[in-house]
Amino acid sequence: MSKLLYITANPKNDMKLSKGMQIGEVFLEEFKAAQPEVEIERWHLYDMDIPEIDMDLLYARAKLSFMGYTKEQLSEAERTKLDKMHALADRFIAADYYVFVTPIWNLGAPSILKKFIDNLFIVEKTFTNTDAGPKGLLTGRKALHIQTRGGIYSTGPMVEFEMGDRYLRKVFEFLGFDSLETVVAEGMDHFPKLVPEIMAKAKEQAAEAAREMAKVSVTL
Ligand SMILES: Cc1cc2nc3c(=O)[nH]c(=O)nc-3n(C[C@H](O)[C@H](O)[C@H](O)COP(=O)(O)O)c2cc1C
């Protein structure tokens, strides 16, 4: 059975509180209608125990990659954390469709998203190094990013300051994904009277993105 991973990086634990999650639900409803047999798994990053690259993980990686250690020679803490990192990456890789829902925070994404993505950069698992440079191994996949913004970054002086969607785009390009589409709902704090209009447009775009994603049958 194919699986869609629906990943939210927002501490808001009630969909009604988050405009991004409301847009995300429209995506899910539309996707489910078009692809009812695809399993949907929700990962609310703030509810997950996500390994952090701390001293143990730093050393585990270094010991295995260039210090000549075997996995058995790692300390128990190093091995446990490394196993957790690999298990999370394996669960991520096992999906077929991906949706990320994030707000822009201080020009980027909430830091928990970076912590999560640090678990996906595993050499010979998600990318490899070739003579021509690094090459992503997660090919044939499509992702959607739904991003909410208080201000405007699609035009005007802030264009170059947006680093949340750009970060995700580059991460998944690096890891080999075919594409990362984005639905943006922007200007919602700066233009509160326009919120209904901005939300309606973003929901329509999310529904359209769902129909498009559902057309792609993923056979990995
Ligand atoms: C800590 C924090 C930082 C924020 N930083 C930015 C920012 O840099 N640029 C921006 O346009 N909006 C910023 N915002 C506003 C949110 O992106 C905006 O309110 C968004 O609509 C929230 O989406 P949500 O309702 O799904 O949580 C910030 C909000 C918070 C709480």
Side-chain angles (χ1 to χ4, degrees), residues 2-128:
S2 300
K3 183 183 282 185
L4 182 144
L5 263 191
Y6 179 77
I7 300 173
T8 47
N10 193 327
K12 294 175 182 173
N13 56 10
D14 181 345
M15 197 179 61
K16 288 191 228 61
L17 301 174
S18 161
K19 296 187 180 78
M21 289 185 216
Q22 288 167 31
I23 299 164
E25 290 304 314
V26 172
F27 174 95
L28 288 177
E29 285 311 311
E30 197 73 19
F31 188 87
K32 271 191 256 177
Q35 283 268 31
E37 74 286 3
V38 174
E39 183 192 349
I40 291 170
E41 190 169 311
R42 292 168 183 260
W43 287 10
H44 189 60
L45 296 186
Y46 280 87
D47 287 344
M48 292 170 68
D49 181 16
I50 300 169
E52 168 130 40
I53 302 185
D54 60 4
M55 203 60 174
D56 290 321
L57 265 178
L58 202 59
Y59 266 90
R61 289 159 63 96
K63 283 176 175 175
L64 294 180
S65 58
F66 58 85
M67 289 168 74
Y69 282 66
T70 64
K71 199 172 162 205
E72 291 64 42
Q73 292 170 318
L74 299 180
S75 73
E76 200 179 323
E78 290 166 350
R79 206 169 36 245
T80 304
K81 289 181 188 175
L82 194 69
D83 283 346
K84 260 176 84 176
M85 174 183 252
H86 277 261
L88 185 59
D90 288 340
R91 284 176 62 203
F92 182 84
I93 293 167
D96 307 286
Y97 306 89
Y98 301 83
V99 178
F100 293 86
V101 184
T102 78
I104 188 171
W105 272 12
N106 303 327
L107 309 179
S111 57
I112 199 161
L113 187 75
K114 173 68 167 65
K115 181 165 112 161
F116 169 70
I117 284 180
D118 278 345
N119 288 270
L120 304 182
F121 278 68
I122 302 182
V123 72
E124 304 313 340
K125 180 167 280 202
T126 56
F127 73 100
T128 187

Side-chain angles (χ1 to χ4, degrees), residues 132-175:
K135 189 173 175 309
L137 298 175
L138 303 185
T139 52
R141 292 153 200 262
K142 292 190 187 304
L144 176 72
H145 180 205
I146 296 169
Q147 192 198 41
T148 42
R149 303 171 177 168
I152 301 282
Y153 295 78
S154 60
T155 56
M158 296 305 286
V159 168
E160 288 299 313
F161 289 83
E162 198 292 313
M163 290 175 284
D165 183 57
R166 203 137 38 113
Y167 169 66
L168 266 192
R169 193 170 286 282
K170 286 295 160 195
V171 162
F172 290 109
E173 189 182 326
F174 180 94
L175 294 178

